[in-house]
Amino acid sequence: MDKLQGDMRNKNMELADMMRERDRAMADLQRLENSRADDLERLRRDLEDSEDRARELSRNRGSEAQDMLRKFNGEKDALQRQLDDRAAEAEQLRRELDRLRAEHELQHQTKDDEMAVLQAGMDHSIVAMANLKKQMGGGQSDLQRRLDSVLAEHALKLRRILDSILRSCADKTDEAVFNLNDPGNPGNMTATVEHVLATVEQAHDLGKMLSSSFARYLTNPDGDQTEVIAAAVGLSNGLEHLLANMKGVSRLANGEDVVERIIKASRQAALVGRQFFTKGQSGAMEQLKPSERHSIILDTNHELQLSLGTLTTLAESLVRRDVTKVSVTNTSEDISDLVEREMLSAARAIDEAVMRLQSLANQPRDSSLTDRQVQ
């Protein structure tokens, strides 16, 4: 009996130990379950945060793509406006060229008409002299007087015609100087430095030609005036073109002081050339001694050559800048090709951005990733 009671006590003690072990195991299980629930809740919150960040990133990428598209459209519109402006400027320059060509042809026709009038007057004088000679017969002295009178009248008409042409050339030079000083007149915007240098060289030659023809005319005032007229008209046209080209090429100058020197030197050259047309008129020549007339023409030509030399120096100083601009322009594409290339580049960039966003959106979500790995 005692042995049975002792066994029972042992069994009870073992049962109590087992119950304590059970309670401890149940407590451990409860702690594990609570810890697992907390971990699951934390992982769920992390997953939701990761999904929110992914959606925010997708929205940001979409906004960046829209901003790029708006920027591209703005640049495309700006380039299109520049293209339209360049086309309008080219059309305006073409109309101006047509107008100048028409004026040149009209002036050329006017000079031809004046030459025809001059030739007709000379023919009429010759006929009048022949008729006088036939009518007077043996009265040589009276015929000589009348012949001298006709010749003097004819010479006076020729001098008046020459004076009129020289005044016209002076007025044309004044108009060219006025256009040079006019801030609203940009000059020949298509002029290059090489073209300006060629125009200056042409003015050099025309000045020398006018000086030589004037010298021959002063040697024989009753001789042929056609060389003087042709040289004077040529010099006035040359000075007009020179001033327009110099003002146009001044756009290549680096600084307002250089532009001012170019305009001042061009104006000075035109005013010196104008002295040819004013001092060469009969009224001015008659006030000088015959020995002084040649020196006036030579001095004027010398001053003109010096002024043109100054213009040559100023134009040559623009050669490097003009060459750089031309090289850049030559290596650049046409503006329509440039616009098309930029449009294609922007379209490719947008497509690549959309593909990257789609690849990010299609990636499988891994709940085991941490916040830093998701970012």
Side-chain angles (χ1 to χ4, degrees), residues 78-92:
L79 289 173
Q80 184 63 37
R81 286 193 297 270
Q82 291 180 5
L83 178 61
D84 296 338
D85 294 341
R86 291 290 194 281
E89 292 178 0
E91 181 64 21
Q92 182 179 0

Side-chain angles (χ1 to χ4, degrees), residues 82-134:
Q82 291 180 5
L83 178 61
D84 296 338
D85 294 341
R86 291 290 194 281
E89 292 178 0
E91 181 64 21
Q92 182 179 0
L93 291 174
R94 186 188 62 79
R95 289 195 298 267
E96 183 68 17
L97 179 61
D98 294 339
R99 183 184 66 81
L100 293 175
R101 185 180 291 113
E103 290 181 356
H104 177 69
E105 292 177 355
L106 179 61
Q107 292 175 358
H108 189 270
Q109 183 64 33
T110 302
K111 300 308 176 185
D112 291 341
D113 294 341
E114 292 176 354
M115 295 295 292
V117 171
L118 181 62
Q119 186 64 37
M122 185 178 298
D123 295 340
H124 178 71
S125 299
I126 294 174
V127 172
M129 286 188 294
N131 292 333
L132 285 175
K133 186 175 181 180
K134 291 179 181 179

Side-chain angles (χ1 to χ4, degrees), residues 74-361:
E75 292 178 352
K76 183 185 71 173
D77 294 339
L79 289 173
Q80 184 63 37
R81 286 193 297 270
Q82 291 180 5
L83 178 61
D84 296 338
D85 294 341
R86 291 290 194 281
E89 292 178 0
E91 181 64 21
Q92 182 179 0
L93 291 174
R94 186 188 62 79
R95 289 195 298 267
E96 183 68 17
L97 179 61
D98 294 339
R99 183 184 66 81
L100 293 175
R101 185 180 291 113
E103 290 181 356
H104 177 69
E105 292 177 355
L106 179 61
Q107 292 175 358
H108 189 270
Q109 183 64 33
T110 302
K111 300 308 176 185
D112 291 341
D113 294 341
E114 292 176 354
M115 295 295 292
V117 171
L118 181 62
Q119 186 64 37
M122 185 178 298
D123 295 340
H124 178 71
S125 299
I126 294 174
V127 172
M129 286 188 294
N131 292 333
L132 285 175
K133 186 175 181 180
K134 291 179 181 179
Q135 292 175 3
M136 295 305 297
Q140 294 296 329
S141 58
D142 188 29
L143 175 62
Q144 187 64 39
R145 285 194 299 272
R146 297 185 64 178
L147 181 61
D148 293 339
S149 176
V150 170
L151 291 175
E153 182 180 357
H154 178 66
L156 179 60
K157 290 181 179 180
L158 293 179
R159 286 195 296 271
R160 288 176 179 174
I161 292 174
L162 178 60
D163 291 343
S164 175
I165 293 174
L166 292 177
R167 281 194 298 271
S168 176
C169 293
D171 294 340
K172 187 173 184 179
T173 305
D174 291 337
E175 182 180 357
V177 173
F178 176 79
N179 292 331
L180 178 69
N181 296 328
D182 185 7
N185 189 340
N188 184 9
M189 297 299 292
T190 61
T192 62
V193 176
E194 291 77 7
H195 179 62
V196 169
L197 292 175
T199 308
V200 174
E201 185 64 25
Q202 183 183 21
H204 270 292
D205 297 337
L206 291 172
K208 294 177 181 178
M209 185 184 303
L210 180 58
S211 177
S212 300
S213 58
F214 251 124
R216 290 191 293 271
Y217 170 70
L218 293 176
T219 302
N220 183 17
D222 296 331
D224 191 8
Q225 299 175 332
T226 56
E227 291 184 1
V228 178
I229 294 174
V233 172
L235 181 59
S236 64
N237 290 331
L239 291 175
E240 181 185 24
H241 295 160
L242 177 60
L243 265 60
N245 292 331
M246 288 299 298
K247 188 168 186 180
V249 84
S250 64
R251 70 188 186 279
L252 304 175
N254 187 13
E256 291 296 330
D257 54 340
V258 180
V259 175
E260 184 62 28
R261 288 201 300 271
I262 292 175
I263 298 300
K264 183 177 180 180
S266 302
R267 180 169 55 248
Q268 179 63 26
L271 294 179
V272 172
R274 186 181 184 278
Q275 294 179 9
F276 263 126
F277 312 132
T278 56
K279 294 180 179 180
Q281 296 180 24
S282 59
M285 285 295 177
E286 289 174 357
Q287 297 177 2
L288 301 174
K289 297 179 181 180
S291 59
E292 297 176 347
R293 297 174 183 176
H294 286 83
S295 61
I296 287 294
I297 297 300
L298 294 177
D299 293 342
T300 303
N301 179 55
H302 180 66
E303 293 179 9
L304 178 62
Q305 301 302 323
L306 292 177
S307 300
L308 293 176
T310 302
L311 288 182
T312 300
T313 302
L314 291 173
E316 287 176 347
S317 65
L318 302 176
V319 169
R320 179 173 300 176
R321 181 177 178 85
D322 191 28
V323 168
T324 304
K325 183 177 180 181
V326 169
S327 62
V328 172
T329 303
N330 289 336
T331 56
S332 299
E333 295 177 342
D334 187 77
I335 188 169
S336 60
D337 297 335
L338 180 60
V339 171
E340 183 177 1
R341 193 185 72 246
E342 292 297 330
M343 290 175 64
L344 293 175
S345 299
R348 285 195 297 270
I350 293 173
D351 292 338
E352 292 175 358
V354 172
M355 291 176 64
R356 285 196 299 270
L357 291 175
Q358 290 178 352
S359 63
L360 290 174

